[in-house]
């Protein structure tokens, strides 16, 4: 089984978690000014429990950190909780 990869699908405004060519999860966002608001995260039910959502959110936040100066606004409860559990990502919500 291939390792899932995360890609930023800017046209759909979402980070997609792709495994074997199939999107198995997504983190939807909205960009407003210099903010990127994560509004919804989901992983297909048959892929839950394997750390996929965490992998997706971490990759999305790494991409925001590396490729923009946007402030992360975690409107999605999962992204909010993930950032709370990972103090080294909290600076993204205060840039």
């Amino acid at each position: 089984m291939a390792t899932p990869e995360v890609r930023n699908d800017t046209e759909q405004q979402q980070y997609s978690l792709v495994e074997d060519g199939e999107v198995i999860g997504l983190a939807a966002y909205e960009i407003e000014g210099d903010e990127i608001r994560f509004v919804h995260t989901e992983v297909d039910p048959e892929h839950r429990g394997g750390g996929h959502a965490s992998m997706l959110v971490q990759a999305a936040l790494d991409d925001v950190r590396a490729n923009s100066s946007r402030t992360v606004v975690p409107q999605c409860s999962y992204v909010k909780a993930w950032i709370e559990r990972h103090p080294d990502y909290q600076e993204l919500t205060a840039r």
Side-chain angles (χ1 to χ4, degrees):
M1 192 154 68
T3 302
E5 66 166 336
V6 176
R7 62 177 183 230
N8 185 0
D9 291 322
T10 54
E11 287 181 21
Q12 285 94 9
Q13 288 200 302
Q14 70 184 36
Y15 284 91
S16 300
L17 184 64
V18 181
E19 185 176 80
D20 297 326
E22 182 184 348
V23 175
I24 62 166
L26 63 92
Y29 61 82
E30 296 169 359
I31 292 176
E32 189 169 311
D34 59 0
E35 291 182 344
I36 180 165
R37 298 179 182 167
F38 283 92
V39 294
H40 179 68
T41 304
E42 70 178 67
V43 172
D44 287 349
E46 63 267 25
H47 291 94
R48 288 189 188 145
H52 289 94
S54 181
M55 178 193 313
L56 171 59
V57 169
Q58 182 170 357
L61 295 175
D62 285 346
D63 184 67
V64 171
R65 176 183 274 157
N67 298 304
S68 83
S69 58
R70 292 192 174 103
T71 301
V72 172
V73 179
Q75 292 182 327
C76 159
S77 59
Y78 184 85
V79 175
K80 187 174 187 339
W82 194 95
I83 290 173
E84 286 171 2
R85 288 195 311 272
H86 297 84
D88 48 323
Y89 284 84
Q90 291 170 9
E91 53 94 10
L92 291 172
T93 64
R95 355 156 76 174

